[in-house]
Amino acid sequence: MNVVRLTAPFAGWAMPIDEVPDPVFAERMMGDGIAIDPIEGVLRAPADATVIMVAPTRHAVTLKLANGAELLIHIGLETVALAGEGFAALVADGQAVKAGDPLIRFEMDEVAERAKSLVTPILIANEGYAVTALAAGTVAAGAPLFEVSAVGATQAAAPTSEDSASCEVVIPMANGVHARPAARIAAALKPFGAEVSFAAHGRTANARSTVAMLGLGLRHGDSLLILARGEDARAAVTTVAALIESGMGEAGEPPAPVAAVPAPRGATTAAPGFAVGTAFPFAIADIVVAEVGHGASAERTALEEALAAVRAGLAEAKDGKGAEIALAHQAIAEDPDLIAKAQELIAQGKSAGFAWRAATRAQIAAIEATGDRLLIERAADLKDIERQVIAAITGTAAAAPTLPEGAVLIADELLPSQFLALDPARLAAIVTARGGPTSHVAILAASAGVPMIVAAGDAVLGIQPDTAMIVDADAASLVVAPDEAALAEARQRVEKGRALHAVHVAAASELCRTADGSRIEIFANLAMPEEADRAVASGAEGCGLLRTEFLFLDRAEPPSEDEQAGIYADIARRLDGRPLILRTLDIGGDKPVSYLPMPAEENPALGQRGVRLSLARPDLLKTQFRAILRGVPAAQCRIMLPMVVDATECARARAVYDEALAETGLTAVPLGVMIETPAAAMLADTLAANADFLSIGTNDLTQYALAADRGNAATAAMIDGLHPAVLRLIAAAVDGARKHKRWIGTCGGMASEPLAAAILIGLGLDELSATPAAIPALKAVIRRLDIGECRTLATRALAASSAAEVRALAAQAIREAA
Ligand code: PEP
Ligand code: MG
């Protein structure tokens, strides 16, 4: 066979070999071929072949093709330095493989993080073969890649005499004779006619063949015998020995494994993402105000005019998250207590600015004294209005900085209005020393797609302007002033992330099925009407959780039935006929509202929250049921109750629902319950007998199962829905649902995690409801899964003893499905 056609060993981005960012490959010193920047972590055989050798560090493999060509596939660049970490060989030397057989599995993230690049050269390492590229740009695994044709091997010149020479050297290169030094040795021998071979570890190899040299597995400190025969044997040996002893720029001790960049203490992800940019410290001093006023009447007028101007500005925010936050800010600018306090100070002779600042600061101090994390995050809103009103009183123009391209904005804390004044297109990321992940500015950043880390500590305030930064908001970690290599790698990660996301988004609108055809519904969790558009564009097949409390928070009184009906109808329209599961009001506990004063509770998470509060205020519940029935077409509509413990609560809520139904005369819709308490999971069969469907809220289920507060930084590391205790509760809930042939889904944060998907599907869930941004990647992972393998994995996970063990099992299963 003269011509062998090779297929892509993994999906990714194919490029000509001369675009590989490494001259050894780009200048074809190793041979001709093509390169792929992979988007999956399993390398497969590109043709039927025999494995010549898997590198001892498992980052490269050589194959003998049917036409005698020797194929080298080198995963990533400078990956030899990882010393095998992150790579697993799936074949042995000498093994025959078929096209598509898995050869090497590698941890994409780990390798990408630690190596120079994931770009993988795929090339013919021996002479006498021509290569014709068949691919460029995006390639799927198994798609045609290039053809290799035998064109008559050119032999090294036969020795003209029997002169021989030898020399022993010790390998000084930190990573031994890996692909790059081997290529340089072979290139250095080109001018010589002598036959040169290497002997080490009891084996010999042709020093003109990179593949053969790699087969010796020469490591740092090994001794190597160079042997040559022929007229110029001596010169050849001297040249190669000198080249090796020079260390080829790689002399040194084998590198210690690279330590991961430590996350700043307490740093927390507020908006996900990964970015590269330059530091833009952003500090705003308080606007200076005089303490003494110019007469109470003039100061009162100044305050009233300033408040009116700020309210008018807020009223201009028309839609989106900005409008909802403006609504909350309106309430502050109209707050009677705050205004009364300021007026009181003005009456005592203080200036309007001084009085307003003193009034808001007193309020902020009172909030901070509560120690309530969520309330404290809301204090930023007060600071924002304080600043806006004082700016209006003093005529100080709002400071809207002009950001450089790719700015990493660093601030002590960022206020919502300051964020809204920035150009998000120029903002690479935000890092704040303080602040919390559920603050309004965090919501704004997430919605604008700007990665954000909060609570990074005061050290970040010392970062100098224009310092290069890598911000990994997903891991809540930062690299300040990275070296060129780290920067180049990070830029590549950004690019690759974009490309991968584009591939996933392109396929996201198709209904989700596992590789064996089992249908899994992928819905979205929504908390704002506008999110529905993004969810649909991201491939959501419905809404699995509408957190209706967004309508009830940050306002002075509850929304009317009409207002609710209008907004529910709007969301249903945006979903364009897709199912919409509306959760009734889930406030109390960690989501307090001002117009429903509740006595202070020692353990609010165990207090009057969710359906308990609704049953205590059936008037609110009935209004909500009526609004839902009126607003959402019955064919689309499902309603579910939060924080249920047993069927009694379900029956009481159903009685209120029946009244709403009778009063409106509208068509009945399914009424389900959330499984968020261990009690509900254990009683799922009796709940399923009384409810039309079940949906597991893994956020609360995890905190209650593991007795770990989901809002407490000290217990954050314990909160893991993949803990076997939580999984056993989920399994019990699925059993209960099945007993009554009920649909069961999940809508907690765990459903957004691709790693959890295989287990959740294996446990038997019909639906996963995720955050919209997670949907394309989630669908891409599920499409690779086999339902039988998911079930096996779930069984093993249920028998595990810790969350870490489950994570390892799940990671392995996802890798194998790649
Ligand atoms: C949950 O608890 O998993 C859930 C979806 O509800 P929330 O996060 O809104 O409490
Ligand atoms: Mg919940």
Side-chain angles (χ1 to χ4, degrees), residues 525 544-545 547 549 583 586 590-591 609 640 642-643 674-676 695-704 710 746-750 769:
N525 297 338
L545 166 67
R547 290 185 164 103
E549 46 281 1
R583 175 174 75 188
D586 182 15
D590 63 341
K591 300 164 189 160
R609 60 168 293 197
M640 69 181 177
M643 289 300 302
M674 289 189 74
I675 305 292
E676 297 182 284
S695 180
I696 300 170
T698 54
N699 303 335
D700 278 314
L701 187 60
T702 305
Q703 80 160 342
Y704 295 130
R710 64 192 265 197
T746 181
C747 57
M750 198 171 150
S769 189

Side-chain angles (χ1 to χ4, degrees), residues 183-334:
R184 292 189 59 182
I185 292 166
L189 281 175
K190 286 225 161 100
F192 299 99
E195 243 175 41
V196 184
S197 56
F198 284 179
H201 306 310
R203 284 172 285 148
T204 58
N206 180 355
R208 293 179 186 276
S209 161
T210 45
V211 170
M213 277 186 276
L214 295 179
L216 287 179
L218 289 164
R219 298 184 185 238
H220 171 85
D222 284 353
S223 77
L224 166 71
L225 186 62
I226 308 167
L227 300 157
R229 212 158 50 86
E231 207 172 49
D232 49 7
R234 188 160 301 278
V237 167
T238 312
T239 302
V240 172
L243 181 63
I244 292 175
E245 283 176 335
S246 75
M248 300 186 223
E250 298 185 11
E253 290 300 311
V258 179
V261 178
R265 250 176 99 75
T268 308
T269 304
F274 180 90
V276 177
T278 50
F280 183 80
F282 180 60
I284 13 148
D286 279 347
I287 300 167
V288 179
V289 288
E291 182 173 346
V292 181
H294 300 291
S297 155
E299 297 296 339
R300 203 172 298 120
T301 308
L303 178 63
E304 278 161 9
E305 284 178 1
L307 284 168
V310 169
R311 284 182 210 130
L314 290 168
E316 276 169 24
K318 287 273 175 298
D319 50 34
K321 301 258 197 279
E324 282 150 32
I325 290 165
L327 221 61
H329 284 188
Q330 285 275 16
I332 298 171
E334 287 165 4

Side-chain angles (χ1 to χ4, degrees), residues 598-808:
M598 279 182 261
E601 295 176 316
E602 201 165 325
N603 291 304
L606 305 180
Q608 198 180 47
R609 60 168 293 197
V611 76
R612 301 172 190 180
L613 181 69
S614 292
L615 291 174
R617 289 290 307 263
D619 54 322
L620 282 181
L621 183 63
K622 185 151 46 144
T623 304
Q624 186 168 29
F625 279 140
R626 288 175 54 101
I628 293 172
L629 291 166
R630 282 179 47 211
V632 184
Q636 241 183 307
C637 183
R638 303 174 206 171
I639 307 177
M640 69 181 177
L641 308 165
M643 289 300 302
V644 169
V645 164
D646 60 32
T648 320
E649 288 165 334
C650 180
R652 288 177 60 202
R654 190 179 279 280
V656 180
Y657 164 80
D658 286 341
E659 281 175 29
L661 202 58
E663 285 168 15
T664 55
L666 291 160
T667 312
V669 301
L671 181 65
V673 295
M674 289 189 74
I675 305 292
E676 297 182 284
T677 62
M682 298 317 294
L683 295 178
D685 55 344
T686 61
L687 279 166
N690 288 276
D692 298 316
F693 67 93
L694 308 182
S695 180
I696 300 170
T698 54
N699 303 335
D700 278 314
L701 187 60
T702 305
Q703 80 160 342
Y704 295 130
L706 303 179
D709 180 354
R710 64 192 265 197
N712 182 341
T715 52
M718 290 178 68
I719 294 278
D720 191 337
L722 284 174
H723 195 288
V726 181
L727 299 183
R728 288 190 193 196
L729 289 168
I730 295 176
V734 174
D735 274 355
R738 292 289 168 250
K739 217 175 253 178
H740 295 277
K741 299 196 170 46
R742 296 288 190 246
W743 180 98
I744 179 162
T746 181
C747 57
M750 198 171 150
S752 302
E753 247 197 282
L755 196 67
I759 294 180
L760 291 172
I761 291 170
L763 286 171
L765 290 160
D766 299 305
E767 171 251 25
L768 306 183
S769 189
T771 54
I775 290 175
L778 190 62
K779 283 190 166 184
V781 165
I782 293 172
R783 290 196 179 109
R784 302 203 311 254
L785 300 174
D786 173 272
I787 196 91
E789 283 165 13
C790 291
R791 287 187 190 128
T792 309
L793 169 67
T795 307
R796 292 175 69 197
L798 289 172
S801 59
S802 68
E805 202 181 316
V806 174
R807 284 198 173 267

